[in-house]
Amino acid sequence: MRYEKGHRENTREHILEVASQRFRRDGASASGLAGIMAAAGLTNGAFYTHFESKEALLREALVTALTEQLARLEDDCPAGCGIEAVIRRHLNEDELAGSEVGCPSAALLPEISRQPERTRKAYEDALLAYISALATHLPDSGSSNSRAMAIFSLMVGTLQIARAVADTSLAQDILEGGVEAALVLARKS
Amino acid sequence: MRYEKGHRENTREHILEVASQRFRRDGASASGLAGIMAAAGLTNGAFYTHFESKEALLREALVTALTEQLARLEDDCPAGCGIEAVIRRHLNEDELAGSEVGCPSAALLPEISRQPERTRKAYEDALLAYISALATHLPDSGSSNSRAMAIFSLMVGTLQIARAVADTSLAQDILEGGVEAALVLARKS
Amino acid sequence: MRYEKGHRENTREHILEVASQRFRRDGASASGLAGIMAAAGLTNGAFYTHFESKEALLREALVTALTEQLARLEDDCPAGCGIEAVIRRHLNEDELAGSEVGCPSAALLPEISRQPERTRKAYEDALLAYISALATHLPDSGSSNSRAMAIFSLMVGTLQIARAVADTSLAQDILEGGVEAALVLARKS
Amino acid sequence: MRYEKGHRENTREHILEVASQRFRRDGASASGLAGIMAAAGLTNGAFYTHFESKEALLREALVTALTEQLARLEDDCPAGCGIEAVIRRHLNEDELAGSEVGCPSAALLPEISRQPERTRKAYEDALLAYISALATHLPDSGSSNSRAMAIFSLMVGTLQIARAVADTSLAQDILEGGVEAALVLARKS
DNA sequence: ACCGGCGGGACGCCCCGTTTCT
DNA sequence: AGAAACGGGGCGTCCCGCCGGT
């Protein structure tokens, strides 16, 4: 072990962190490896000692991002905090503005669906973990995850549309409409 | 006049049609102009006589696709057909499999949100027209379009997630859960 | 027809000519497309309108070079010129020094043998035409091409070794020994 | 001393052995150091403790390969075995198929000729030793090495051409024609 | 003090979106 | 009107050197 313990792993995780932000901000196919590596303070020559390919980086960066989102969810919304807090954590102005550190699903879903199965499977696993956590905040926690999945789908679609439209106040309205609808879904007996 | 009247316009619309399919299938930044033009039976060089740039093509292709979707909605779901028919037109196996001629929002929203304002404005206008049409099918048609927008958001998110996961039967479950949730939103008093 | 007639074909053949020289001088895998195109007065962006890939370029450049060699052989050594003239056309100081416009077999054979079958087939065809022409200069012209092939093999090996050794006078000796041996093979009753 | 005596030297020779095979199989410029080191069971970074550069590796690997060929020649063809045995040791199906452990001249000569003088000198020395050994098998062993060099040139060219053509039975014919011609050169009074 | 994990640039082929020139 | 060329950048891999722990 020549470098300080964990050096390699630290570098790898740093690249993953930067990549997960770039992918969310600029899109997966529009993000170049050289730009990602430069943003990580490295050159592209160092990439292939850490990852097999861009596809592998995307696969791992997706898991990284979803895992982070899960950790943030648990931090911000402890058990019993109520479903509205969870919903407002997804649908707010910060999320609207900054996709960089926001929900990877909202930023990348169509591109994920065009990835090879291996990548989609990795995303699926991480997503289901997230949905399970989300489900614990539902009033009728005995229900399956299907309800949580629908609420999540609504939030993802709402956030994407609010980001896409040109009119700022329209975006706000869409966001608020999404919050209300999500609450309806959550509270439905 | 060497070409029959309207030849040029036909060509332009043919390119738009092909482009709108390619963009939905492969993504906007992953679709190349050369591939689009070749699929349209033309050569690379002919592009710039019809469009100013790739961005302009995307902008127009988005409107084309949304306009087509609106026409199809009105064809398949005449007034009074009931909201469930509308929902099932969005969330079904065909849509799951073929993004090529499906909902452009489900296929492209994150990329749209990264486009310049002009493109987002064009999308916004076409989207609002679509949402208005969708709203006419809601039970309480007097309400604003906010409800319709939420239902649409839910459907877009649901379709994207169902497309992205690797497990086929899971995708089916997600789709069905989306249908139920959409009905809840639609019927809410 | 927008560019002057034959412009495209002229450019294509110019690239082929430059490439066939570069490949012979520097080797096939050591020659870069950018360098070849720059030497042809073009940029690398223009390459793929003329050739499908580097492999296709190599394939065609080989045929080009062999065809040129055949034309030169027929120019320099008209029928009845005697076999020695043919041999000395292959084994002389000019050939020793300048592989750039010399025998493509001597310059590239090991790399050709590592190419896909399609390339090797193209080389084979052009080579056999060359061998046939060479055979017409043999005394016993009724014999098969086998003798001509052996003489050609000898000349190729001789030229390669003479080029590879460091000692100049040794190279001369090898060349002269090759000439004598080729004459022996040619005159064998 | 952490490693047993000679460990370092063994490693060095192991790299040389692997490199000499890779160079013959894939060509010198097409063989990467990373691939060679990986095939030797080492990592990239260990290379420069054993060799100064890729060029130095090639230089030494050439000598290694030629020295091995000489040893094999002496093993397989003891004094008095007859020249035909020697010729058939060079021109046979095994040599046709596997350049990996075959004649380095046949596999690499054009690339050697493009190397710096130092490399060509090293090759020259090893080649001349090989030619001398080959000459001892000629009937008129008093003659200079020129005859042996010509025979060797013929065999190298023959093997290269037989390897390069696409038609398998043609390759066989070329090989057999080479054997006959080599015998002619060897037996010439 | 040696030696190898790790990183640095540069360049490989290929293809992009765009402009120019006949 | 559109074929041909441009320049840059995509990902991947090259050869090589620089730290720093055993």
Side-chain angles (χ1 to χ4, degrees), chain D residues 4 45 54 57 69 71 78 95 107 122 128 132 137 153 161 179 181 183 186:
Chain D
E4 56 198 305
K54 184 183 180 182
L57 176 65
Q69 292 297 111
E95 290 287 323
L128 291 181
S132 292
H137 294 279
S153 301
I161 296 176
V179 170
L183 285 172

Side-chain angles (χ1 to χ4, degrees), chain D residues 49-61:
Chain D
T49 66
H50 294 286
F51 300 95
E52 193 185 77
S53 65
K54 184 183 180 182
E55 179 201 319
L57 176 65
L58 173 58
R59 181 167 59 241
E60 299 205 38

Side-chain angles (χ1 to χ4, degrees), chain C residues 22-100:
Chain C
R22 288 281 170 141
F23 284 148
R24 280 178 276 183
R25 196 188 69 183
D26 300 334
S29 83
S31 296
L33 291 183
I36 291 170
M37 293 303 281
L42 298 169
T43 63
N44 56 9
F47 177 79
Y48 287 88
T49 64
H50 293 286
F51 301 95
E52 196 184 70
S53 65
K54 184 184 180 182
E55 180 199 318
L57 176 65
L58 174 57
R59 180 167 58 240
E60 298 204 40
L62 279 176
V63 175
T64 296
L66 274 163
T67 305
E68 277 179 14
Q69 292 297 113
L70 179 53
R72 287 180 53 196
L73 177 68
E74 289 172 344
D75 273 6
D76 296 353
C77 308
C81 72
I83 184 65
E84 183 165 351
V86 174
I87 292 170
R88 291 202 182 276
R89 220 193 65 73
H90 283 83
L91 300 179
N92 59 52
E93 287 193 27
D94 283 351
E95 290 287 323
L96 187 60
S99 63
E100 196 163 317

Side-chain angles (χ1 to χ4, degrees), chain C residues 29 107 114 124 160 166-167, chain D residues 29 107 114 120 124 160 166-167:
Chain C
S29 83
R114 297 180 194 109
E124 177 186 313
Q160 285 183 357
D167 186 313
Chain D
S29 84
R114 297 179 193 109
R120 302 208 316 279
E124 178 186 313
Q160 285 183 358
D167 186 314

